Every structure is written in structure tokens, then in C-alpha cells.
Amino acid sequence: MHDPATLPVMIIDDEAHLRITAGQTLELAGYAPQAFDSAEAALAALTPDFPGVVVSDIRMPGMDGMALLREVRSRDPDLPVILITGHGDISTAVEAMREGAWDFLEKPFPGERLVEMVRRGVDKRRLSLENRALKAELEAQQSAPGPRLVGRTPAIQRLASMVQRISQVETDVLLFGETGAGKDLVARAIHERSRRSGRPFVAINCGAVPESIIESELFGHEKGAFTGAVERRIGKFEHAEGGTVFLDEIESMPLALQVKLLRVLQERSVERLGANVPVPLDLRVIAATKVDLKAAAEAGRFREDLYYRLEVVTLPIPPLRDRREDIPLLFQHFAVVAANRSGLEAPPVDAGGISVLLAHDWPGNVRELRNLAERYVLLGATCDYRLDALLRGVGHDTGDLALPQQVELFEKSLIDQALARHRGRVSEACEQLGLPRKTLYDKLRKYDLKAEDYRQSEAL
């Protein structure tokens, strides 16, 4: 919270006694009044990102209050301007509000009304400046190639420094972090900042590939290597030649296959199933896990020799609860991306909403935060943009809408979340949604969604 004594309030009036009276009232309330006898003098003293509010009489010689309002809004449309009107001058007050005045005071007015109006204006100004700073920081951080490591906490700054350093050297990497912390994103950040960025990035979820086919998926096979092998297949390792292989959930890899992976890492070559000649490989391997691999190795659930081969460079990824200061910045990023993608708008998060974000434990980490930001944009209007309600799932209640609107809103939300989850890869979104490719493209046109836009939502 800002100390009110540090927050200036411009008081502009050509009558000295009104400037003095208003100034004393605000000073007693703890603000720092700045008095001016003309609009021209006030504008000369107005600085960019002025942290307070402007209070001005409308009727003044020279530049009047309405002209001042227009000039202030041309410089900074988010700066609250409170105009003072004469008794009964309703038409002028209406015009002032249409021109964008924050509020108006009608003479004569009690001091407590002035203080209350300034207090609300100052709160609004603080929120505007905080959101402006967040957007500026996001723009600066988004200039880096590949996925963004968004944040200002020491934990994320250390991670960003390590990613930059590791990306410049040729070494395999082990990433350790909770579910949803962003292991896949860090892996791609390393790849995109490395000399391999122009070559393939091949991601494999070891826990999602059936054990019966994972060996063929990774290493490939020759025609006739087994029943059903009707033609040669190039495995993921060969496909990634010159680039990076990302093995997510490495702890789920079958023990028998871990022996072959160890050989690939040591010899940098691969043998297809049914072949006798090794194929040389030029690639980097990044593995990721959410469990303690050393403990798993000691318990016999993971090969100890493979663990020691992988843990040359281990990069821990902090959970969201350990970098709470980054939560508003990340939420802002995801909300802006979701708003741009959907064509919807959502109001900036107020102080109460930020408190909700900071108080939550985020067991789903960045993934959970991103999903909340997307619900905030898509469904927030159904619960007055209350983040506590959205966290409880109340935002899914669209009972105030007609049934066809409810169906469309829900359908658009499902498609949006599927594309976000698969980073715009249409084939994978179709598989998740159970839709033919043509049907999904028809719905993308219907809801004015573009698959390529979903690659911009990546951030950690």
C-alpha cells in the first residue's frame, strides 16, 4: 500500500480561497496537495505516470476545465480527473462525464466528499499504474526467443540465468519439478536459445506411450522386425537429428528400456529394431521428472547407472508457491493472451483479486494459473470477475444465459483449452476433443480462433 502523504493531488482553481480550503482538507486527510491557479501551470508540472489525481474547477480564465480534461486524457487516459461544477450545472457535468472525467463535484461540497472521491481516484490510479508496469515488464521479457520465463523473483531469475548458460553448452540436462511447474517449457526454452534452435524439438511423454510400442517409438524399426512392421519406421531419436529430444516423466520409462537409453546417451547412436547397424546421432537429450530419481534408483524403480548419467546437470524448477511475487505478472500475461485470442476483454485484476491469487497454494502450479486466467477472460462475466468464485468453479455457472449461448460458450471454452494445452497443434487438439479435423476447423472459424495464436501463451 502507498502512504497517502506521498501521493500528490493537483488542485486547480483561479480562486485562492478555494485552493487553500481544498488543500487543507486533503492535507488533513494525509495527501500531498499541489495548488495551481491555472490549467496551463498545472499541465506544465504534470509528469508522465503522475501517481495521484487531478481536481479542477471547470470555469476558469484561459484554458477551462473541459479543455484541461481533454489535454490530460490525450496524455494519459488512465489519469483520474475530478471536475468541479457550479450549482445546478447538470448539463456541464454530463458533458464532463462523456469526455471521460473520473467524477464531478457540485459546489458547494463537503470536505469529506472531496476526500472520498480522491481516495477512490487514487486507488484506481494505483491499479492502472501497476497494470501498466506489468505490461511493460511482459513486453520486455517477451523479446527473448522461444518460451518466456516471466518473473522478477530471485528463484525465477536464477532459473533464467541457468537456462541461458546451459543452452550455450552441449550437455544433457535433467529437469526436476512438480506437475504443472513448466518442465516442458524450460526444455523448449533451452532448445530455442541454443545453436540447435533451427532443428527439431521432439517431446516424448514416457508415461503416455504404451509400453508395447515405446521402444519402436523411440528407436524405430526395420520392415519385418516384428508382426505388423510392414515398413521401416524412423524413431523419435533419429527424427530429432541435430536438435533436442525431451523425455518427460522419465521415471515412467520401463526398466528394460532404460538400458537402451543409457547406451544411446553414452554412444550417441541408435539401432532400429531388427537392424544390426547403429545410426550415429547428433542431438541433446533433456529429461524431466517430478520424483526424486535418486530415491527411486535406491528403491530399484529406476536404473542407478542411468540416474548418474542424467544428473550431470540438474535444473530444479520452483513451484509457484515459492515465487508468489510473480503470480500477478504471470496472470496478467495469460489473461492478455487469452483476451487477444478470443476477442474478449476482461477488466484488470483489482487489489482484492490479487490477494486471492497470492493466498492460493497453486497445487497445479503455472498450468493451474494459466487455466484460471483463461476462465477469467472467457467466463469471468458470469461471476462479476470474482477470482475466488472462479477458483471454486462458480465461473462455469452460466445460468443467466440462454441455453444456445451456454452451449456455445462451453464449446468455445473446451476448444480454447484444448488448443492452449497442445500449443496450437490441431491434430492433438482433435484427438483430445474427439473431433474430425474439418469439424474443428469449422468451429475455429465460427468462434474466430486461430491455432497459431496459441503458441504465444507459453510462459513460466
Side-chain angles (χ1 to χ4, degrees):
M1 292 290 291
H2 291 284
D3 179 359
T6 66
L7 294 173
V9 179
M10 282 191 170
I11 303 169
I12 310 165
D13 201 306
D14 59 317
E15 297 184 31
H17 73 278
L18 289 177
R19 295 196 302 271
I20 293 171
T21 301
Q24 289 175 341
T25 299
L26 291 171
E27 195 167 15
L28 287 171
Y31 293 97
Q34 299 175 352
F36 299 91
D37 61 3
S38 69
E40 292 85 352
L43 288 171
L46 187 62
T47 57
D49 291 336
F50 177 75
V53 300
V54 175
V55 180
S56 174
D57 193 11
I58 286 185
R59 303 193 182 281
M60 296 182 294
M63 177 182 280
D64 65 11
M66 294 299 294
L68 169 71
L69 170 64
R70 286 188 282 268
E71 176 60 26
V72 168
R73 286 188 57 76
S74 71
R75 297 188 187 186
D76 188 342
D78 296 324
L79 178 57
V81 178
I82 300 168
L83 292 180
I84 302 172
T85 67
H87 176 65
D89 197 355
I90 300 300
S91 61
T92 303
V94 170
E95 182 185 357
M97 299 301 285
R98 285 177 178 169
E99 292 281 354
W102 166 247
D103 214 330
F104 69 94
L105 284 164
E106 186 181 26
K107 295 179 182 177
F109 53 85
E112 56 269 22
R113 176 158 171 73
L114 170 65
V115 171
E116 173 60 19
M117 202 170 287
V118 165
R119 184 193 63 78
R120 290 191 294 105
V122 162
D123 286 345
K124 186 258 187 186
R125 181 59 170 168
R126 176 185 54 77
L127 188 60
S128 296
L129 292 179
E130 286 177 357
N131 279 285
R132 186 178 298 176
L134 288 175
K135 288 180 181 179
E137 188 171 347
L138 283 172
E139 289 173 1
Q141 295 192 4
Q142 288 172 352
S143 62
R148 273 81 66 183
L149 304 181
V150 174
R152 59 171 77 97
T153 55
I156 201 66
Q157 291 300 316
R158 282 194 299 271
L159 178 61
S161 176
M162 288 296 294
V163 165
Q164 186 61 34
R165 188 180 308 170
I166 290 170
S167 66
Q168 303 307 309
V169 297
E170 287 297 316
T171 182
D172 296 334
V173 183
L174 177 63
L175 305 178
F176 174 72
E178 297 177 4
T179 298
K183 297 183 290 294
D184 58 339
L185 185 141
V186 171
R188 282 181 289 111
I190 293 172
H191 172 76
E192 291 295 339
R193 290 161 173 76
S194 75
R195 69 172 182 83
R196 300 180 181 276
S197 59
R199 304 296 297 163
F201 177 86
V202 178
I204 305 154
N205 188 318
C206 300
V209 182
E211 187 171 344
S212 59
I213 65 170
I214 189 171
E215 187 172 358
S216 175
E217 281 288 309
L218 294 180
F219 306 133
H221 62 253
E222 295 289 349
K223 181 179 179 180
F226 52 83
T227 303
V230 296
E231 59 183 4
R232 170 187 284 180
R233 175 183 174 84
I234 300 299
K236 300 293 188 182
F237 279 95
E238 274 191 81
H239 178 65
E241 172 66 18
T244 302
V245 169
F246 174 52
L247 299 173
D248 198 8
E249 297 189 22
I250 186 74
E251 72 276 5
S252 301
M253 180 175 284
L255 283 168
L257 196 60
Q258 292 178 25
V259 180
K260 295 191 175 184
L261 174 61
L262 179 62
R263 185 176 178 184
V264 169
L265 294 176
Q266 291 175 337
E267 299 181 6
R268 278 312 195 258
S269 65
V270 64
E271 285 188 17
R272 303 186 197 110
L273 292 176
N276 297 314
V277 180
V279 178
L281 298 174
D282 171 25
L283 50 76
R284 183 208 291 266
V285 175
I286 301 176
T289 180
K290 60 178 179 292
V291 305
D292 184 340
L293 283 188
K294 184 177 182 181
E298 292 172 349
R301 298 191 304 273
F302 195 81
R303 287 191 63 92
E304 192 172 25
D305 48 5
L306 178 58
Y307 164 69
Y308 284 114
R309 180 61 183 80
L310 289 171
E311 66 96 37
V312 176
V313 176
T314 300
L315 202 56
I317 302 173
L320 202 53
R321 63 181 175 276
D322 288 350
R323 43 181 293 226
R324 290 186 184 275
E325 186 183 340
D326 293 333
I327 291 173
L329 186 66
L330 271 169
F331 186 88
Q332 175 81 17
H333 167 80
F334 292 131
V336 168
V337 170
N340 290 341
R341 194 168 60 221
S342 64
L344 301 172
E345 290 188 10
V349 180
D350 59 17
I354 290 176
S355 296
V356 170
L357 294 175
L358 295 178
H360 189 57
D361 281 340
W362 301 107
N365 289 294
V366 177
R367 184 182 300 153
E368 182 184 2
L369 180 67
R370 183 189 64 206
N371 290 342
L372 177 66
E374 291 175 350
R375 288 203 304 274
Y376 182 75
V377 173
L378 294 171
L379 304 173
T382 66
C383 61
D384 296 325
Y385 294 99
R386 286 172 37 237
L387 284 173
D388 57 339
L390 287 170
L391 275 170
R392 296 195 308 271
V394 177
H396 295 291
D397 180 7
T398 55
D400 291 339
L401 300 175
L403 183 59
Q405 291 175 297
Q406 294 182 41
V407 172
E408 289 191 353
L409 184 60
F410 185 64
E411 182 179 64
K412 182 177 180 180
S413 176
L414 287 176
I415 294 171
D416 180 87
Q417 291 182 40
L419 286 171
R421 178 173 185 176
H422 298 292
R423 303 179 190 92
R425 295 190 290 271
V426 171
S427 58
E428 295 179 26
C430 285
E431 184 176 349
Q432 177 183 328
L433 295 166
L435 293 175
R437 196 178 184 91
K438 180 181 182 304
T439 302
L440 180 57
Y441 274 117
D442 288 343
K443 292 185 181 299
L444 291 179
R445 283 192 293 271
K446 175 181 178 180
Y447 297 121
D448 195 26
L449 300 174
K450 296 180 177 62
E452 57 268 21
D453 291 346
Y454 288 77
R455 301 183 187 105
Q456 302 172 11
S457 66
E458 301 165 339
L460 172 64

